[in-house]
Amino acid sequence: MQVTFESVGATTVATATGRLDFGAATAFQQQLEQAIAAKPGRLVVDCAALDYVSSAGLRSFLVAARASKAAGTSFLACGLQPSVKEVFEISGFSRIIEILPDRAAATAGAA
């Protein structure tokens, strides 16, 4: 899995590519926590290129969402592929983490 970061105004966009499984979850979580430590106004995880998320990957999202809340940073995800969206919905994560349809919606007003 690969994660790239980009600043769009006060928003940090983390683009996740590949499979977020047990082997990638810890590094993903640490990268998100580093981004949160920089205190962006908003942290968006762009999941358009994320093919798969395991329960360990979901935990990474949850830990990052909690850290964001503690830091006063908005945390959301966008562009979920159908299979990833289904995992978020079945697990109830779509009620915990704000999900927007695409990157444009997630970064609107960020510039």
Side-chain angles (χ1 to χ4, degrees):
M1 177 179 173
Q2 181 179 12
V3 183
T4 57
F5 290 88
E6 174 185 353
S7 292
V8 180
T11 298
T12 296
V13 179
T15 302
T17 304
R19 295 174 54 88
L20 179 52
D21 55 19
F22 180 79
T26 300
F28 177 68
Q29 179 182 324
Q30 290 170 346
Q31 290 174 307
L32 292 181
E33 288 173 340
Q34 287 175 351
I36 293 162
K39 302 269 188 193
R42 181 184 325 175
L43 177 59
V44 174
V45 180
D46 185 345
C47 300
L50 186 64
D51 302 322
Y52 171 82
V53 63
S54 70
S55 58
L58 285 175
R59 183 183 183 285
S60 297
F61 273 96
L62 180 60
V63 170
R66 287 180 177 164
S68 289
K69 185 175 182 178
T73 297
S74 297
F75 182 84
L76 47 109
C78 69
L80 277 65
Q81 295 295 321
S83 60
V84 173
K85 185 175 183 179
E86 182 179 17
V87 170
F88 270 71
E89 289 174 352
I90 290 171
S91 65
F93 274 66
S94 58
R95 291 186 303 265
I96 299 169
I97 297 170
E98 184 177 1
I99 308 292
L100 293 175
D102 55 36
R103 181 182 173 128
T107 59

